[in-house]
Amino acid sequence: MTTPALLPLSGRRIPTLSPGASSFPHHRATLRLSEKFILLLILSAFITLCFGAFFFLPDNSKHKRFDFGLEDVLIPHIESEKEARHSSRQVIHGVGAHDEHRHREEEESLRDKIRADHERALQEAKEKLRKSKEELKAEIQTEKTKVAEDLKKKDGPKPLPPVPMPKLVGVNDGDPGDPDTKEKRDKIREMMKHAWDSYRQYGWGHNELKPLAKKGHSTNIFGNSQMGATIVDALDTLYIMGLHNEFKDGQEWIEQNLDFSVNAEVSVFEVNIRFIGGLLAAYYLSGQEVFKVKAVQLAEKLLPAFNTPTGIPWAMVNLKSGVGRNWGWASAGSSILAEFGTLHMEFVHLTYLTGNPAYYQKVMHIRKLLAKMDRPNGLYPNYLNPRTGRWGQHHTSVGGLGDSFYEYLLKAWLMSDKTDTEARKTYDDAIEAIERHLIRKSNGGLTFIGEWKNGHLERKMGHLTCFAGGMFALGADGSPDDKAGHYLQLGAEIAHTCHESYDRTVLKLGPEAFKFDSGLEAVAVRQNEKYYILRPEVIETYWYMWRFTHDPKYRQWGWEAAQAIDKYCRVSGGFSGVKDVYSSNPTYDDVQQSFFLAETLKYLYLLFSGDELLPLENWVFNTEAHPLPVLHLGNITLPGSETQR
């Protein structure tokens, strides 16, 4: 008898015969295989059967992946089995043979469908395994982002109510007509492009720019986060100048990156005038909804600052926690008049656009509170304690700490289409007290506005105070007792004094503050008052005086300032402030302020444009030079107004 040899074949061992052996001995040899080998064959068959069952039974997760729902696969499969059993009963009883054949075909079709489904699933699994770890991570992140966006759309803020757009006039062009003026305007536009392009290249996304170091810069007024203050502040200037590609770049950054849910402590005042004012102006000029939405989102973050015993807001608020506090240097923990008094314009527009009265009520509460308080000599001190409701140090200024409070009283009246007579009366009373106690003429015949400190007039005027010339001109029409001519003349005298502060320096740029005593007039005395940080207030007054008088000297003075800025403040990486305007070799402070793009360059551009560009009958500029439309509509009625809703 020949002993069969066991040879390997594809991982299995099978018996073979030697040459010449008959088939019968082979058959007998197979019958004598060990029980162990028989068990092995049974086990192999069992594994094959299990694999087949796994392969052909449906898998819920894979059905979902290929959009086969339970309804498509599992339910028809179950139903077909029920029908098959019912059909077999009918066959037994001699009926339904045709139906039985049809159901068998359906079951076979279903098996084919499940088989194809599994094959696709296996193929997809193979493709996944071929991908790198980085590719798989990227796919997962994409899915997570999509889910987050879907949730944001579902749970996001409710859409703002539709409101009629106020009448918008003169949002572009303003061709001055004569070639010489147009050439000057084109130069201002080129300066704006240099400032913006430098920021775009070296400081994009940061709040401001260090033009010498060519990197981003920020101050504590914006907290510790990159909120793109220069982008928001410059938007309307870009739009007015027709720099639409630059405007679009700014809009895209705001859409994708401007986030107010950051752990940052910011100045309520600065964020209101620069960010909310800038976003609202960009919305009105361009009609792009994103700016309105962002303005409202930010405004909601500022509201916790008003949670004080008096309703006078804190100077600073944390955008994430809502915790507020005041500046450490302010008088006995006081809030500052120019800060809590410079919210009205923006907050009234927020109420108009959202239908939420909270914004309007907050600023009107401040006005009512101030109206009840005693004022020494009719003057408003710069400090007010938000806990006690009492004045702090008796220091009154139309410059820093006080300036824009008076400006916003006048502009509240103008913005209401001159119906907010309460605001106008408060403005007129304040200006009368200022003229009586703060405005004087120097020995050399220069009209200046001093500062009142504890019953004493300090004969010093700040660059910031120079805005008042434009304010007096703007408020001349509507003055009581036919004093329109008087206030227009007063505006001209302030403009002249501030021009002298520029003209008496080496660089023809004005110092931060200047005195009128000891034989010195319109000149800075202290070293820490000799700097110029690209401020707009003097040029702002030139523009208002030009609009109301068309005296060519205002354009001439504005052009002198523009040339000086271009000559002494321009560097390869933008524009910088200078530390000493009396030095022929100035050193730079290396900061391109956001207000240089928002205000200084805008006012210069408007000075060399036609009056039809942003006419003052239709637009009111906030204290950061962001134009907001006059609300002719009766949607908001202020207390004391002559018209009712």
Side-chain angles (χ1 to χ4, degrees), residues 377-379 406 425-439 472 480-481 483 486-487:
N377 294 317
L379 297 171
Y406 306 101
K425 176 73 164 58
T426 308
Y427 168 78
D428 289 331
D429 291 347
I431 296 306
E432 185 182 340
I434 286 168
E435 191 168 9
R436 184 183 305 118
H437 296 287
L438 304 185
I439 297 180
F472 293 144
D481 305 322
K483 295 176 78 171
H486 167 72
Y487 283 112

Side-chain angles (χ1 to χ4, degrees), residues 158-214:
K158 294 179 180 178
L160 297 173
V163 294
M165 184 72 87
K167 185 180 180 183
L168 304 180
V169 178
V171 298
N172 50 38
D173 196 21
D175 191 330
D178 67 287
D180 181 60
T181 307
K182 190 174 188 304
E183 186 178 341
K184 290 181 171 68
R185 188 173 84 147
D186 288 343
K187 174 59 182 176
I188 305 303
R189 190 173 183 266
E190 184 277 328
M191 290 168 68
M192 176 67 182
K193 189 152 176 27
H194 176 62
W196 174 265
D197 288 347
S198 298
Y199 169 78
R200 181 76 174 83
Q201 183 172 359
Y202 304 118
W204 192 240
H206 289 267
N207 288 315
E208 291 174 318
L209 170 69
K210 293 178 77 68
L212 273 77
K214 296 184 177 178

Side-chain angles (χ1 to χ4, degrees), residues 132-275:
S132 66
K133 187 177 180 182
E134 289 71 21
E135 287 174 319
L136 290 172
K137 277 185 177 179
E139 282 188 9
I140 292 168
Q141 187 58 47
T142 301
E143 286 297 319
K144 285 171 69 177
T145 303
K146 186 176 182 301
V147 169
E149 287 175 354
D150 290 342
L151 286 173
K152 194 181 288 184
K153 287 176 185 175
K154 184 179 179 182
D155 302 325
K158 294 179 180 178
L160 297 173
V163 294
M165 184 72 87
K167 185 180 180 183
L168 304 180
V169 178
V171 298
N172 50 38
D173 196 21
D175 191 330
D178 67 287
D180 181 60
T181 307
K182 190 174 188 304
E183 186 178 341
K184 290 181 171 68
R185 188 173 84 147
D186 288 343
K187 174 59 182 176
I188 305 303
R189 190 173 183 266
E190 184 277 328
M191 290 168 68
M192 176 67 182
K193 189 152 176 27
H194 176 62
W196 174 265
D197 288 347
S198 298
Y199 169 78
R200 181 76 174 83
Q201 183 172 359
Y202 304 118
W204 192 240
H206 289 267
N207 288 315
E208 291 174 318
L209 170 69
K210 293 178 77 68
L212 273 77
K214 296 184 177 178
K215 63 181 183 181
H217 169 73
S218 191
T219 62
N220 62 343
I221 61 173
F222 302 120
N224 55 3
S225 61
Q226 295 183 22
M227 291 172 61
T230 294
I231 299 174
V232 180
D233 231 2
L235 277 173
D236 53 5
T237 307
L238 293 169
Y239 192 90
I240 291 162
M241 291 184 177
L243 295 169
H244 295 302
N245 288 335
E246 291 80 357
F247 179 88
K248 186 179 178 184
D249 285 346
Q251 179 179 338
E252 287 178 357
W253 186 90
I254 286 169
E255 288 174 337
Q256 296 168 13
N257 300 287
L258 188 54
D259 179 19
F260 303 121
S261 60
V262 289
N263 185 18
E265 190 179 54
V266 300
S267 162
V268 174
F269 161 74
E270 295 287 356
V271 165
N272 175 62
I273 66 172
R274 301 195 200 204
F275 281 82

Side-chain angles (χ1 to χ4, degrees), residues 561-574:
Q563 287 179 301
I565 292 169
D566 197 52
K567 183 175 181 180
Y568 295 111
C569 300
R570 184 179 187 132
V571 295
S572 64

Side-chain angles (χ1 to χ4, degrees), residues 559-586:
W559 183 239
E560 289 171 7
Q563 287 179 301
I565 292 169
D566 197 52
K567 183 175 181 180
Y568 295 111
C569 300
R570 184 179 187 132
V571 295
S572 64
F575 288 86
S576 170
V578 292
K579 294 181 179 179
D580 189 347
V581 293
Y582 300 98
S583 170
S584 56
N585 295 307

Side-chain angles (χ1 to χ4, degrees), residues 46-59 114 118:
F46 179 72
I47 291 171
T48 304
L49 181 65
C50 289
F51 178 78
F54 173 80
F55 186 87
F56 286 107
L57 283 175
D59 182 327
I114 294 171
H118 280 277

